[in-house]
Amino acid sequence: MSTSTEVVAEQQHGREVGRDRRRKEDRHLVTGRSRFTDNIVLPGMLHVATVRSPYAHARITGIDTSAARESAGVVLVLTGEDVKDQQGSLPNAWPVTPEQKAPPHPAIAVDRVAFSGEVVAVVVARTPAAARDAAELVDVDYEELEPVVDLKAAAADERLAHPDLGTNQSALWIFDSAEAGTGSDVEDAIRDAEVLVEREFRQQRLIPAYMEPRSVVVDPTGEQFTMWSATQIPHILRLMLALTLDMPESKIRVIAPDVGGGFGGKLQVTPEEVITFLAARATGKPCKWTETRSESLLSSHHGRDQWQKLTLAARKDGTVTGLKVHLTANMGAYLGLVTSGVPILGAFMYNAIYKFPAYRFECQNVFTNLTWTDAYRGAGRPEATFAIERMMDELATELGRDPLEIREQNWIKHEEFPFTTVAGLEYDTGNYEAATARAVELFGYEELRAEQARRRESGDRVQLGIGVSTFTEMCGLAPSRVLGSLSYGAGGWEHAAVRMLPSGKVEVITGVSPHGQGHVTSWSQIVADELGVPFEDVEVLHGDTQISHKGLDTYGSRSLVVGGQAVVKAARKVVEKARPLAAHVLEANVDDLEYGEGRFTVRGAGEGQEGVALTDLALRVFAAHDLPDGMEPSLDADATYDPVNFSYPHGTHLCAMEIDTETGESTMRSYVCVDDVGNVVNPLLVDGQVHGGLVQGIAQALWEGAVHDDQGTLVTGSFVDYTLPTSADTISFVTDRTVTPSTTNDLGAKGVGEAGTIASTPAVVNAVLDALRQYGVSDIRMPMTPERVWRAIQEGGAGGTAPPAEGAQPHFEADEPNQDTPETEGGQA
């Protein structure tokens, strides 16, 4: 194991990998030359506006589009009835069980709506304003039906979200270590437990609030239909459009231009992409749809939304002996691309870094009349980490032990790698002791514990809590054989190509599709090292199915460990293709050649030899005047890489929270994270990913949550109510890294896209609860708003009713003004 400083110094010996290169991508982004989908303007382009259901569940009894059709500038109005034979059903690529139930998923509802915000009609007009104005003239008659909103009630089939389906239960997926042969029977562990911890946690519903709203342009005027979309998955989108609309795939080209963030929210085939395609096909003209922020919050897919019920068995000495998990997962109204598989991704991570000998996981997928759910940053793994890290804190509390100590007792030691877990995964490398020791050092753990004790003893109004989260995740989605065993409809390989241009410049084509990660910079660093060419001479092309014809796109921290490895393999093929030509030029035997720093030399010919540069060979190949017999005039190479295993980044996150026990306000005092993401290609990009991820995970703990009323209407439909954090809400984080290189790829990388998000949520929640345990508080639902914290203190039976410290102001003065509690606000008891 090495520290980040040692590794960076080692990596920087004349190499690009390991340098904190500034991003190539940023120049055009910060100088106003970026081209997002909504920036695209085509001759004769029309604009699409949608009419959406205000009801979560209703029959459509009539639609009058006459006024809209007669409105100025309107070219076309489409209803579900108009396109019911063309629109197909939006795809679900992950039927998790053979018995999985699912209703058809129309792009435009035909006779019934199943969530508030579902599209019921579309207006196509010459300007965006004309389309929006005419959309308001579409008159839809509904027969309201009782919506299914509550997840537990839905699981009990008290009312049906889709009456024709006969149940709300979509699928029940089970993993049992005894049945799989990876561990013992969890029921035996529970029966024999000396300590049993049973808890139920709520994973609230979140909304992927990317910077750039979704946008689609479809041009039908060429030989192919060309779609520009703010998507994470241009290749998958192209295939799914072909299958959904019964089109030849070769007649569809998808381009993902500059894409402003995704967080899983653009890992989707959306109704609006299908609708815009249908509108362009019907009118024969380019059509554009760009959502408003309100539309985005209302109708783009949501994330999380689970009830998690866990039972942890242990011995009195703190050794864990079994873990049983039952999830109730909210699918929403329909299944999207991977909706049903998202909670299953977490199935293999609840055991986390701990040596559970017995494990059982059950997941019941359930339909409701809410916006459908799907991938959201981390997709299943943050939920798993949250649950197990909460349970480890609960076990520590139960035994009166330090939460770090109980974790260390149970985690996999560094000398035990590779380690096969009770869930059947083989963790290749890791060193949890080193990451934790570094985090403890940076955090000042003992000093903060001492301060916490002093504050508790003095009855300080502001209490201090310390939260711990030690995590791992499976990244690099994914080995195709594993995806196949889970019934996923595609593989997990990735494609890359390297082209040697006659001028000596290099083009890299990658199947991944960046939307803010910095792939262009990282891939340039990798290829610069592999080929020995200048960083500036590498051009990276992506996001266009006509240029990058193969790929499985970007999600699940797969880009570097899978896509980057494909680039490495393609670059090494280039060198091998050039080797016979180099031998021919140098009049040497191929076996006597050495390659380094972009140049072939002859072994044993002395240090002063000139050799021949790869870039010179590229020009010779272009001319093709004097090639070895049988050599094709090309050094270009491509590679497709299918990972043999996941990669497993890990880390230790420590959080200190100060809680005002009178108001419930929580303030972050300190946050330290030490992550092991394997070898680092660009430290600057890693730091950016970690910082952004931390804020996203902290936001789930403290601020964000999608709320629907009892009729299924989203009441957090703007950024006034859906409280995304800003930089003003956060503190400066302390980050560092330890490094144990992954063995699953030549880069030794593990993936970093989700680490901060996964680890930070339980760290914050554990910190808040740690501050309030003395008040009898054992759980607070997320987001932990001041009101919820205050209520927990009051209901815990100690905080609000505890006598004030001597000399302090009393908490409340009865009968004095402005002393209402939320229960009596406004003078109402």
Side-chain angles (χ1 to χ4, degrees):
M1 190 281 302
S2 306
T3 66
S4 61
T5 304
E6 292 168 345
V7 169
V8 168
E10 181 183 333
Q11 289 179 323
Q12 282 186 350
H13 280 301
R15 292 174 57 81
E16 282 291 341
V17 170
R19 293 185 62 182
D20 58 349
R21 279 279 193 183
R22 271 40 179 179
R23 300 194 337 157
K24 283 185 172 181
E25 302 88 327
D26 287 344
R27 181 173 298 173
H28 80 275
L29 289 171
V30 301
T31 55
R33 292 183 291 123
S34 53
R35 196 180 194 203
F36 295 98
T37 300
D38 194 48
N39 297 130
I40 293 168
V41 177
L42 301 175
M45 190 165 71
L46 303 176
H47 299 267
V48 177
T50 57
V51 181
R52 298 180 183 274
S53 169
Y55 301 109
H57 197 191
R59 288 192 186 88
I60 301 170
T61 57
I63 303 181
D64 183 355
T65 63
S66 56
R69 291 179 193 277
E70 294 169 3
S71 182
V74 170
V75 175
L76 179 70
V77 180
L78 293 174
T79 68
E81 187 66 26
D82 297 328
V83 297
K84 66 181 181 182
D85 297 327
Q86 308 170 41
Q87 65 179 347
S89 177
L90 291 164
N92 170 247
W94 200 337
V96 295
T97 68
E99 301 81 18
Q100 174 176 286
K101 292 182 171 63
H105 188 171
I108 305 177
V110 178
D111 53 13
R112 188 174 63 89
V113 293
F115 71 96
S116 174
E118 187 167 3
V119 178
V120 295
V122 175
V123 174
V124 184
R126 301 193 188 284
T127 67
R132 286 194 295 269
D133 288 347
E136 295 184 2
L137 300 176
V138 176
D139 188 11
V140 185
D141 291 328
Y142 299 94
E143 178 190 346
E144 289 185 62
L145 302 171
E146 288 290 338
V148 178
V149 177
D150 181 78
L151 179 54
K152 287 188 174 180
D157 279 343
E158 292 179 5
R159 205 155 49 214
L160 298 181
H162 297 279
D164 293 345
L165 213 58
T167 179
N168 295 322
Q169 298 179 7
S170 177
L172 175 64
W173 193 91
I174 297 173
F175 175 87
D176 188 287
S177 63
E179 296 172 4
T182 56
S184 52
D185 192 323
V186 76
E187 296 300 337
D188 290 345
I190 292 172
R191 183 196 62 214
D192 299 334
E194 295 173 349
V195 179
L196 208 56
V197 180
E198 295 179 286
R199 297 288 186 274
E200 186 173 37
F201 304 124
R202 179 77 169 113
Q203 281 281 329
Q204 81 270 36
R205 176 174 283 243
L206 300 176
I207 303 176
Y210 25 73
M211 290 178 67
E212 177 207 13
R214 295 175 298 156
S215 183
V216 188
V217 173
V218 178
D219 182 2
T221 59
E223 182 61 27
Q224 296 175 309
F225 281 76
T226 301
M227 171 181 284
W228 291 262
S229 181
T231 180
Q232 295 175 226
I233 52 166
H235 298 91
I236 295 174
L237 175 58
R238 180 196 190 204
L239 172 62
M240 291 301 166
L241 284 172
L243 296 176
T244 302
L245 299 175
D246 194 22
M247 288 274 295
E249 189 180 355
S250 59
K251 293 296 183 185
I252 302 173
R253 175 186 182 187
V254 175
I255 302 171
D258 287 325
V259 178
F263 312 122
K266 294 172 180 173
L267 201 180
Q268 194 58 263
V269 179
T270 69
E272 294 82 1
E273 286 165 334
V274 172
I275 288 168
T276 309
F277 197 103
L278 292 174
R281 188 161 70 179
T283 60
K285 295 179 180 297
C287 289
K288 178 195 285 187
W289 171 82
T290 300
E291 69 183 351
T292 64
R293 184 58 72 179
S294 296
E295 279 184 298
S296 179
L297 294 170
L298 179 67
S299 61
S300 67
H301 78 245
H302 295 173
R304 312 283 197 260
D305 202 347
Q306 299 174 358
W307 280 104
Q308 304 172 300
K309 190 172 184 180
L310 296 99
T311 304
L312 187 150
R315 295 200 294 263
K316 287 181 180 176
D317 68 357
T319 304
V320 296
T321 57
L323 180 66
K324 184 178 180 180
V325 179
H326 181 87
L327 297 188
T328 304
N330 197 340
M331 304 289 98
Y334 298 110
L335 298 185
L337 192 62
V338 293
T339 301
S340 40
V342 166
I344 310 305
L345 279 173
F348 306 97
M349 289 285 102
Y350 279 84
N351 51 291
I353 65 173
Y354 309 112
K355 294 182 284 188
F356 283 96
Y359 175 54
R360 182 178 173 86
F361 173 92
E362 302 172 352
C363 179
Q364 178 66 65
N365 289 347
V366 176
F367 288 113
T368 60
N369 291 121
L370 300 179
T371 305
W372 85 85
T373 60
D374 208 290
Y376 178 82
R377 199 168 188 176
R381 292 155 290 168
E383 297 94 312
T385 298
F386 175 84
I388 187 60
E389 289 304 290
R390 286 283 293 107
M391 291 298 281
M392 295 306 286
D393 256 33
E394 293 300 310
L395 176 63
T397 301
E398 191 82 16
L399 297 173
R401 301 267 299 275
D402 184 281
L404 272 176
E405 181 184 275
I406 207 78
R407 285 169 168 81
E408 183 170 10
Q409 179 178 340
N410 288 287
W411 71 39
I412 303 160
K413 305 299 185 292
H414 70 277
E415 64 270 18
E416 294 178 296
F417 288 93
F419 186 90
T420 301
T421 75
V422 73
L425 297 180
E426 184 181 284
Y427 295 176
D428 58 339
T429 60
N431 191 328
Y432 309 141
E433 303 97 305
T436 302
R438 181 62 176 151
V440 166
E441 176 189 354
L442 292 171
F443 191 64
Y445 188 82
E446 297 303 329
E447 293 83 352
L448 284 169
R449 282 291 183 205
E451 180 183 339
Q452 180 186 48
R454 290 195 298 272
R455 289 197 184 196
R456 285 182 177 176
E457 188 176 352
S458 67
D460 197 322
R461 178 174 62 84
V462 178
Q463 290 292 315
L464 179 66
I466 297 171
V468 178
S469 173
T470 53
F471 85 104
T472 189
E473 61 161 324
M474 57 183 200
C475 287
L477 302 182
S480 296
R481 59 180 174 78
V482 174
L483 294 177
S485 70
L486 294 173
S487 303
Y488 182 60
W493 49 264
E494 193 49 78
H495 175 262
V498 175
R499 298 176 185 156
M500 290 301 303
L501 304 183
S503 61
K505 308 300 183 185
V506 182
E507 287 182 340
V508 177
I509 296 92
T510 177
V512 301
S513 189
H515 38 282
Q517 294 87 348
H519 293 169
V520 171
T521 304
S522 299
W523 277 214
S524 296
Q525 291 178 269
I526 292 169
V527 172
D529 278 355
E530 289 293 330
L531 298 184
V533 298
F535 168 81
E536 294 77 9
D537 286 353
V538 181
E539 195 76 25
V540 179
L541 309 175
H542 58 80
D544 183 339
T545 59
Q546 200 164 73
I547 295 173
S548 168
H549 67 287
K550 289 175 65 177
L552 286 171
D553 308 317
T554 292
Y555 46 87
S557 288
R558 69 185 306 274
S559 293
L560 182 61
V561 297
V562 186
Q565 176 67 7
V567 170
V568 169
K569 290 171 72 70
R572 291 179 181 177
K573 283 185 176 180
V574 167
V575 173
E576 290 309 305
K577 288 186 74 171
R579 192 175 292 274
L581 178 57
H584 180 70
V585 172
L586 296 172
E587 298 181 348
N589 190 297
V590 168
D591 295 335
D592 292 336
L593 294 184
E594 294 178 331
Y595 187 77
E597 299 182 0
R599 191 169 287 273
F600 285 98
T601 54
V602 181
R603 187 181 299 112
E607 294 183 358
Q609 63 175 308
E610 185 176 345
V612 61
L614 178 67
T615 51
D616 293 336
L617 295 176
L619 185 59
R620 287 174 178 268
V621 167
F622 173 73
H625 295 164
D626 183 20
L627 301 181
D629 291 342
M631 180 180 178
E632 64 174 348
S634 171
L635 296 182
D636 300 347
D638 64 356
T640 303
Y641 174 66
D642 197 343
V644 297
N645 192 4
F646 297 98
S647 56
Y648 299 96
H650 69 81
T652 296
H653 290 218
L654 300 174
C655 175
M657 296 290 294
E658 293 182 331
I659 310 299
D660 187 323
T661 57
E662 289 189 357
T663 66
E665 181 182 9
S666 57
T667 305
M668 186 168 289
R669 160 86 170 270
S670 174
Y671 196 102
V672 170
C673 66
V674 177
D675 288 299
D676 183 342
V677 297
N679 287 338
V680 170
V681 172
N682 186 319
L684 194 65
L685 297 182
V686 167
D687 286 344
Q689 289 274 17
V690 170
H691 278 244
L694 289 177
V695 174
Q696 204 155 2
I698 292 167
Q700 177 175 6
L702 297 179
W703 301 302
E704 290 187 40
V707 178
H708 293 81
D709 66 16
D710 59 3
Q711 292 303 301
T713 302
L714 181 69
V715 296
T716 50
S718 76
F719 283 157
V720 173
D721 306 297
Y722 189 83
T723 47
L724 279 183
T726 69
S727 57
D729 298 308
T730 58
I731 64 171
S732 294
F733 308 121
V734 177
T735 66
D736 201 359
R737 294 187 298 279
T738 55
V739 180
T740 53
S742 172
T743 62
T744 65
N745 60 85
D746 291 326
L747 295 164
K750 296 184 175 180
V752 70
E754 296 144 332
T757 303
I758 289 174
S760 57
T761 307
V764 174
V765 171
N766 283 338
V768 173
L769 294 174
D770 184 56
L772 302 178
R773 294 276 185 191
Q774 60 188 309
Y775 299 103
V777 177
S778 59
D779 192 27
I780 302 173
R781 280 197 201 176
M782 299 183 292
M784 303 173 91
T785 61
E787 180 189 347
R788 284 180 172 170
V789 172
W790 183 87
R791 285 181 182 277
I793 295 170
Q794 307 310 306
E795 293 165 3
T801 57
E806 188 175 351
Q809 288 294 319
H811 295 174
F812 295 99
E813 292 283 3
D815 302 325
E816 289 295 315
N818 302 319
Q819 299 295 300
D820 287 338
T821 68
E823 289 83 1
T824 63
E825 191 173 6
Q828 301 297 315

